[in-house]
Amino acid sequence: MSISKVEKGYFGQFGGSFVPEELQEVLNYLEEQFEKYKNDPEFIEEYNYYLKEYIGRENPLTFAKNLTGKVGGAKIYLKREDLNHTGAHKINNAIGQILLAKRMGANRIIAETGAGQHGVATATACAIFGIDCTIYMGKVDTERQALNVFRMELLGAKVVAVDKGQGRLKDAVDEAFSDLVQNYKTTFYLLGSAVGPHPFPTMVKHFQSIISEESKRQILEKEGKLPAAVVACAGGGSNAIGSFAHYIDTPEVRLIGVEPAEAPSLTKGVPAVIHGFKCLTLLDEEGNPSPTYSIAAGLDYPGIGPEHSYLKETGRAEYYTITGDEALEAFQELSKIEGIIPALESSHAVAQAMKLAKELNKDDTIIVNLSGRGDKDVEQVFHMLKKDEDVLKG
Ligand SMILES: *Cc1c(COP(=O)(O)O)cnc(C)c1O
């Protein structure tokens, strides 16, 4: 199959669309429809309706008084994506894309999922709009995440276990794209992060930008000035790019992305094409995407959104790594002193913010995006901590 390279959708050298010709046609049509509807007043009104009435926005920007007191230094605020319906930021994007899908006449939604979080958000959005939903998931992942598979099924979705390749996320993405090429007249591919070929990174950023639209208004109300820094974790990069969006053109606000030390695509990656777009990517000796092992399933991805790759290259955003152990400590700390159990993904951002707060002044503020709640992780953390205890007991 010939591969076409499209000039739009670039962030410096990153992004673009490296896909077979027939898929490119489908993506061109998607881009055209997205551009048409994103500024359409009726579309915006309907999106805002669901943000408020279904997701429960706007969510608070909570001052973490106890954490701030304990750490010393800048005031730490938490943007509460954990309070959204379904417990994370992913639903913002799922609702936005499904409204677009409806207007494009799709009667079937497909999506990929790794650990199952995006699959659950997509199945939820399909349930409320009564749209047929198929979720592709690597076979290995369906076995490890049996409860999320059941959750999707409860929501009315069909989960297809992909046993091609290694039976992981990459293979699920490949299956979803091949389904799309065959069924593009009726089917919409609802992609879950700010990755993939154009227009997905731009579209996902658009629907996640609500995070910084709200946080900017909220911090100005509470503090009368912009934050010194915005901190967010980055897997594919959707909650981070949404948290940064309304501050990117304000250089005095530091933008700080946090990756797991076990999957540091921005800190250690090199420019390469994966999943149809160019980004900083972790490669093994043979030049294939490296397997990664973060304790936070949502951060376990060898690539990263193209715009983050560009923000890193230009120096507009800074990226740091946090280890699984540091994240686990932040998970417990925030639970204990603020009564908020964060997702393991978000715990990486909390850990980085605690380091940063100490370096800043008392009248500075930091906004940490709490991308999700940790209920989904409690069982995993239980096993990790219990194992440690057993080791200590000998
Ligand atoms: C999926 C997920 C992430 C990582 O995805 P991004 O696209 O990088 O935002 C982070 N936090 C939570 C809670 C998630 O579910």
Side-chain angles (χ1 to χ4, degrees):
M1 265 186 287
S2 66
I3 301 286
S4 68
K5 181 170 172 293
V6 171
E7 289 306 324
K8 54 199 169 180
Y10 274 86
F11 304 88
Q13 63 161 315
F14 300 106
S17 178
F18 299 82
V19 299
E21 207 84 63
E22 46 192 341
L23 178 55
Q24 189 57 55
E25 280 172 35
V26 179
L27 296 178
N28 290 347
Y29 179 62
L30 173 62
E31 181 197 18
E32 183 198 301
Q33 296 290 301
F34 169 63
E35 289 298 328
K36 175 174 154 192
Y37 285 114
K38 75 171 193 210
N39 297 318
D40 174 59
E42 259 176 52
F43 182 87
I44 295 171
E45 195 188 325
E46 198 181 358
Y47 179 56
N48 288 337
Y49 173 85
Y50 285 99
L51 290 182
K52 178 167 187 277
E53 302 294 337
Y54 192 66
I55 299 179
R57 306 196 76 96
E58 79 179 29
N59 58 43
L61 181 69
T62 306
F63 175 42
K65 186 164 172 269
N66 300 336
L67 185 66
T68 299
K70 171 141 193 212
V71 171
K75 291 167 101 169
I76 301 173
Y77 280 89
L78 306 172
K79 182 59 178 155
R80 303 292 305 279
E81 295 302 306
D82 62 311
L83 293 179
N84 294 343
H85 175 49
T86 67
H89 66 291
K90 286 194 173 77
I91 191 78
N92 303 328
N93 171 54
I95 293 284
Q97 286 196 47
I98 210 161
L99 291 175
L100 179 62
K102 266 196 348 170
R103 280 170 175 72
M104 289 171 65
N107 58 21
R108 178 172 175 263
I109 296 283
I110 59 172
E112 84 297 340
T113 197
Q117 288 142 251
H118 175 55
V120 170
T122 303
T124 301
C126 289
I128 183 172
F129 290 104
I131 299 186
D132 186 89
C133 180
T134 300
I135 304 292
Y136 288 100
M137 191 167 182
K139 186 156 189 301
V140 176
D141 293 330
T142 59
E143 285 156 9
R144 292 198 307 193
Q145 302 286 340
L147 212 54
N148 269 340
V149 173
F150 181 59
R151 215 169 255 141
M152 290 181 254
E153 288 169 352
L154 274 177
L155 292 160
K158 185 172 123 202
V159 179
V160 178
V162 178
D163 62 3
K164 287 187 187 155
Q166 298 179 309
R168 298 290 311 274
L169 178 63
K170 181 192 180 301
D171 311 293
V173 172
D174 291 344
E175 281 300 288
F177 273 122
S178 97
D179 180 324
L180 179 64
V181 167
Q182 282 164 41
N183 302 302
Y184 67 92
K185 286 199 176 118
T186 58
T187 298
F188 185 100
Y189 180 7
L190 206 162
L191 206 138
S193 188
V195 297
H198 182 66
F200 284 111
T202 298
M203 192 160 73
V204 174
K205 176 188 182 185
H206 180 78
F207 292 128
Q208 292 295 0
S209 295
I210 184 69
I211 300 173
S212 50
E213 189 186 313
E214 288 178 2
S215 80
K216 193 172 189 176
R217 187 168 63 232
Q218 291 168 314
I219 197 77
L220 286 173
E221 263 168 32
K222 288 174 198 293
E223 293 285 337
K225 62 174 185 178
L226 291 173
V230 178
V231 182
C233 65
S238 72
N239 88 86
I241 206 70
S243 308
F244 294 174
H246 286 268
Y247 302 101
I248 290 177
D249 293 334
T250 314
E252 60 269 31
V253 179
R254 286 171 68 185
L255 305 177
I256 297 180
V258 187
E259 325 185 89
E262 299 78 11
S265 12
L266 285 158
T267 355
K268 300 239 175 82
V270 294
V273 173
I274 58 164
H275 297 156
F277 71 106
K278 191 172 177 188
C279 67
L280 291 172
T281 308
L282 294 166
L283 299 177
D284 64 17
E285 286 100 68
E286 272 111 63
N288 298 313
S290 307
T292 53
Y293 302 98
S294 171
I295 61 163
L299 302 183
D300 220 350
Y301 183 60
I304 180 74
E307 193 168 358
H308 287 293
S309 304
Y310 179 66
L311 292 172
K312 153 89 182 178
E313 195 179 59
T314 58
R316 174 62 190 97
E318 307 156 54
Y319 296 89
Y320 300 96
T321 58
I322 286 291
T323 65
D325 286 346
E326 289 174 309
L328 196 56
E329 230 164 81
F331 177 95
Q332 295 171 82
E333 185 72 26
L334 197 71
S335 302
K336 196 175 287 168
I337 73 172
E338 293 289 348
I340 297 171
I341 302 179
L344 280 173
E345 290 84 357
S346 322
S347 302
H348 287 73
V350 174
Q352 184 63 40
M354 287 162 67
K355 290 187 185 178
L356 178 67
K358 289 192 194 116
E359 298 164 10
L360 300 178
N361 294 322
K362 281 199 185 317
D363 49 330
D364 285 330
T365 60
I366 300 174
I367 293 177
V368 184
N369 194 48
L370 215 65
S371 55
R373 68 177 83 125
D375 304 36
K376 68 181 179 61
D377 300 317
V378 168
E379 192 185 344
Q380 182 189 341
V381 171
F382 170 75
H383 289 297
M384 286 190 293
L385 294 179
K386 201 160 160 8
K387 204 172 103 204
D388 278 357
E389 259 173 39
D390 292 346
V391 170
L392 286 178
K393 281 184 203 144

